[in-house]
Amino acid sequence: AGFFASIFLYFICAYQNVSCGIHYVSTIFMLITPEYTCKPPGEVKRAVFQNVSHWRLEEILTLLSPGQKDHISVELQDGEIWELTRCSRIWRENMSHLDYEYDGYEHNISCSDGYVYDRSKWENTAVTMWDLVCDQKWYADMIQPFIMLGVLLGAIIFAYLSDRLGRRMVLWCTSTGIFLFGIMSVFTFDYYSFVIARFLLAATASGYHVVVFTYVMEFIGMKFRTCMSIHLHTFFAIGIITVALMSQIVKTMWIYQMILSTVTVPFILCCWMLPETPFWLVSKGKYKEAQVLVDIIAEGNHGMPCDLSELFSLDRNGPVNDTSVANKHNVTELFLDWNIASRIFMLWIIWLTCSLGFSFFNMDRFNVINDEYLRLILVGSLEIAASSFLSIVLDRVGRRKVLICSLLCTVLICGTLMVIPQDATIWKIVIVIIGKLAIGSAFGLIYIYTAELYPTFIRSTAVGSGSMAGRVVSIVSPLTKEIAKTWIVVPQLSLAILALLSVLLSIQLPETTGKPLATTWEEFAQLEAKEKSYHKTKGKELERKEAIDLEGSAAAAE
């Protein structure tokens, strides 16, 4: 019963991670800009594009291709002839006949009547609702960076709160926020309220995504910790694939948002079942509550009861719920001394490298797959593949070795992309997929690795700060694309240098595979001291063995 209860609780948490994946990428389809043209000042009688004529302007729009600058000639019901382009309209003085080519007098007029959009693929989007095109296009360009700012702030704020108030409380609050802000974004009727709703939605989804890793790691036993934690990324990837599939079924933005927002309802109905983690309770001095929970877990798993007073050398006669411990710890613990501060700086650089690589290996960057639907399907599938790979090799090979190998592979991929011919499409697809798998493995690993490198009372804050450092790249990602248009190799070179630096920094990090989670700095120091002592003893034994072998060889030679 205890095993099945644990599995049930895990799948509740993992299921909600599907919602996080959904809301991370769902805005992509809300910001699609369909083909459009300036709206004429009257009802269209006939429209002509090159040698094609139609009675409806919308039918002509389906013939346009991205970046095409040709105009559309239209005749209005009152006989006026206009030339329509994306951001302007031109009135012809000669109204005698509708020809595509015209050399007479023309008068350029702004698009004061709005725009006409191709609605054959999407009935409406945020762009079409608020005319975020031409001189208003920058409003649309600002939405995604603003959402990424929400992801950045949500990661560190909710991670910090989970260390102070508890994992369960933050999981409840963020999940409720995901549902409420998702629904709120459906009923927004202006641009600014839509952006605010999406910002808050991104912040709460990011908070849940960070804290749920800590929760699962602290609640699942060491035997299944790696597998269960890593596969949280699989559920996140399922959310990405869900968005892609939904975009092919629903073409109206508010219905699309409503369906995706209701995915979180089952979790809200079940989240009251989630208990707090014993690690967090002990770190806050709530020994009695922790002991009750541990006894329930032991009884459910038919195991021997564990006395926390003996295990952690606790004072049996001390206060049962000593919350004074909670006030002694804050975010400054990440910078307690130079050794601890240097570790978080190293991890931040690795997080930044992983985020940059994840952003860099996009199919549209290399003109390989420009269709958002296919690209999200492929990204989600590669994420699942990377998670499956990690769940198999991490406990066998070790966190540090896998991280180093993934980053080295990223360096080689970047070097290959700098020298491969631009027209080698098939090879580019293969290389980009390998690069996506490599950086996806590093990104999936860094969550669990960061969590294992810090004690309970600061664990979520450490993961949240790393996620925050990585999301800086997402905010400035549009700038890197603009730079790449001028200097093609700059992104590859930058990522290769950062990945190589991250390899050198990863070598300095301790291995955490197979080690229990620490509750305090003292426990963590004891674990590291034990590891150093083990390696030192092992080294001496090897030296002694080599000396004996040399003596034996010398004696045999004599």
Side-chain angles (χ1 to χ4, degrees), residues 44-49 52-57 59-60 63:
V44 175
K45 182 179 179 181
R46 191 159 63 98
V48 175
F49 174 67
V52 179
S53 176
H54 277 287
W55 298 111
R56 297 181 68 249
L57 180 57
E59 294 177 353
I60 291 288
L63 303 176

Side-chain angles (χ1 to χ4, degrees), residues 447-468:
Y447 277 87
I448 186 173
Y449 199 15
T450 303
E452 290 175 342
L453 285 170
Y454 285 88
T456 302
F457 68 87
I458 201 72
R459 183 171 294 127
S460 281
T461 303
V463 178
S465 70
S467 179
M468 181 186 69

Side-chain angles (χ1 to χ4, degrees), residues 353-396:
T353 303
C354 293
S355 185
L356 178 62
F358 198 83
S359 173
F360 173 74
F361 288 111
N362 279 331
M363 307 303 166
D364 62 336
R365 182 185 291 274
F366 302 98
N367 297 318
V368 174
I369 299 178
N370 293 318
D371 186 276
E372 293 286 359
Y373 165 76
L374 293 177
R375 186 147 54 86
L376 285 183
I377 292 287
L378 183 58
V379 167
S381 302
L382 292 176
E383 281 293 296
I384 294 174
S387 299
S388 302
F389 167 75
L390 287 175
S391 65
I392 295 172
V393 304
L394 271 187
D395 283 339
R396 292 177 172 84

Side-chain angles (χ1 to χ4, degrees), residues 341-492:
S342 62
R343 176 171 297 176
I344 196 63
F345 287 135
M346 287 190 286
L347 287 169
W348 283 354
I349 292 174
I350 297 171
W351 273 90
L352 191 146
T353 303
C354 293
S355 185
L356 178 62
F358 198 83
S359 173
F360 173 74
F361 288 111
N362 279 331
M363 307 303 166
D364 62 336
R365 182 185 291 274
F366 302 98
N367 297 318
V368 174
I369 299 178
N370 293 318
D371 186 276
E372 293 286 359
Y373 165 76
L374 293 177
R375 186 147 54 86
L376 285 183
I377 292 287
L378 183 58
V379 167
S381 302
L382 292 176
E383 281 293 296
I384 294 174
S387 299
S388 302
F389 167 75
L390 287 175
S391 65
I392 295 172
V393 304
L394 271 187
D395 283 339
R396 292 177 172 84
V397 180
R399 278 60 160 149
R400 185 172 54 188
K401 291 179 181 177
V402 174
L403 181 61
I404 290 172
C405 290
S406 299
L407 292 170
L408 281 175
C409 183
T410 303
V411 175
L412 294 175
I413 291 296
C414 289
T416 306
L417 285 172
M418 284 190 282
V419 298
I420 194 171
Q422 292 296 315
D423 56 350
T425 306
I426 300 299
W427 283 108
K428 280 202 296 187
I429 293 175
V430 173
I431 292 169
V432 170
I433 288 176
I434 295 173
K436 197 77 173 176
L437 281 170
I439 205 66
S441 299
F443 211 171
L445 162 61
I446 198 63
Y447 277 87
I448 186 173
Y449 199 15
T450 303
E452 290 175 342
L453 285 170
Y454 285 88
T456 302
F457 68 87
I458 201 72
R459 183 171 294 127
S460 281
T461 303
V463 178
S465 70
S467 179
M468 181 186 69
R471 298 308 169 188
V472 172
V473 173
S474 302
I475 297 175
V476 300
S477 181
L479 179 62
T480 62
K481 289 185 178 180
E482 292 300 319
I483 295 174
K485 292 178 182 178
T486 307
W487 296 292
I488 299 176
V489 298
V490 166
Q492 292 96 310

